[in-house]
Amino acid sequence: MNVANDMPVGHAWFITPATADHPCKTVETCAADVVVLDIEDSVAPALKQIARERAEQVFAQQAAGACVLGMRINALTTVEGVQDLIALAQYAVKPPIILVPKVESARDVEIVAGCLDTAAYTPQIYALIETPRAVDVLSSIVKAERLSGLFFGAGDYAKLLGCDVSWEVLLDARSRLVASAAVAGLPALDAPFFDTQDLAGLQREAEKGRALGFFGKVAVHPRQLPVITSVFQPCGGQTAQAGRP
């Protein structure tokens, strides 16, 4: 499946383990613009290969008209990340979007593109910015030719800094990410709001994100999606386009 770089990007993304029960049903019924099957943080090491196989099945069985699908692979500095790229290259039906964690250089994006790009398949590649080094070198990361957008990974970023995940504490990192994305003409999507029961808190954070310049936000539970959609859908008055103008 070939995906043009100007394919519209949705505001509300949902990330779910590839090993979750009934992933095909989730893809067909959830209200996300993009569903990302995760085989990184949410999947135990012993289940990585099962996750790859389950993801391949979901991509092959996706119903026409369903939401856009993506896949979060493992970090490229790990054996699992290398195995993910090998597996993806062999999928009969490949995901339109690849989310790459722990990106710290433009080279990371180039490696994924070099392994996966063919005449018939050029996935959109999103960089997950979740380390202090990545924030420090954002201006070089966004120069990657095949980069389609940025995600902020608040959880791992805060863990590495030893700080809280509150909005105020991470405002500087968020601001730098949004600014770098804007300079490059790329969409920036905000990190999840991890308290899945606090929808009022989610709405407040989503509204702050939109005001700061984020194009959308990722959900970790389906109940969060209507809130995210309601906040970000009017963003810019139209659906933004991925990739550089």
Side-chain angles (χ1 to χ4, degrees):
M1 178 179 183
N2 185 51
V3 178
N5 286 335
D6 61 354
M7 182 185 73
V9 175
H11 304 283
W13 292 46
F14 176 56
I15 188 163
T16 184
T19 52
D21 293 337
H22 309 298
C24 288
K25 183 177 180 180
T26 299
V27 168
E28 294 172 2
T29 61
C30 85
D33 297 309
V34 179
V35 173
V36 177
L37 298 183
D38 182 34
I39 60 175
E40 192 216 7
D41 283 350
S42 66
V43 176
L47 299 178
K48 297 290 188 183
Q49 182 56 33
I50 293 175
R52 294 184 192 103
E53 294 170 359
R54 293 286 295 278
E56 182 178 18
Q57 293 171 3
V58 174
F59 301 142
Q61 298 173 13
Q62 184 185 20
C67 61
V68 177
L69 287 180
M71 179 173 171
R72 179 167 73 172
I73 63 175
N74 288 276
L76 299 179
T77 53
T78 67
V79 171
E80 296 295 350
V82 174
Q83 292 177 342
D84 293 342
L85 292 179
I86 294 172
L88 274 165
Q90 298 173 349
Y91 282 7
V93 179
K94 301 176 175 65
I97 292 174
I98 304 294
L99 179 57
V100 187
K102 308 297 189 300
V103 169
E104 293 187 332
S105 73
R107 183 62 173 164
D108 293 338
V109 178
E110 294 166 358
I111 289 171
V112 174
C115 289
L116 299 182
D117 282 1
T118 67
Y121 177 66
T122 54
Q124 290 193 2
I125 302 172
Y126 280 75
L128 189 50
I129 305 301
E130 51 187 338
T131 69
R133 174 174 171 77
V135 171
D136 189 48
V137 298
L138 270 168
S139 61
S140 64
I141 291 174
V142 297
K143 293 178 182 177
E145 183 177 350
R146 286 283 285 104
L147 184 64
S148 292
L150 299 177
F151 264 87
F152 181 49
D156 281 352
Y157 184 81
K159 183 178 179 180
L160 287 170
L161 261 65
C163 68
D164 190 73
V165 294
S166 66
W167 177 268
E168 292 75 15
V169 171
L170 299 182
L171 178 57
D172 177 66
R174 280 186 163 100
S175 298
R176 293 172 68 178
L177 187 148
V178 168
S180 295
V183 168
L186 299 171
L189 293 104
D190 198 12
F193 185 79
F194 296 104
D195 186 346
T196 61
Q197 300 297 325
D198 184 6
L199 297 184
L202 167 63
Q203 178 153 352
R204 289 192 295 270
E205 184 169 285
E207 288 172 348
K208 290 177 182 178
R210 183 188 172 195
L212 189 63
F214 279 105
F215 179 72
K217 193 172 182 66
V218 63
V220 291
H221 193 284
R223 72 168 60 94
Q224 296 178 318
L225 290 167
V227 175
I228 294 172
T229 298
S230 69
V231 171
F232 285 98
Q233 190 59 52
C235 184
Q238 61 182 7
T239 300
Q241 301 290 314
R244 294 166 176 76

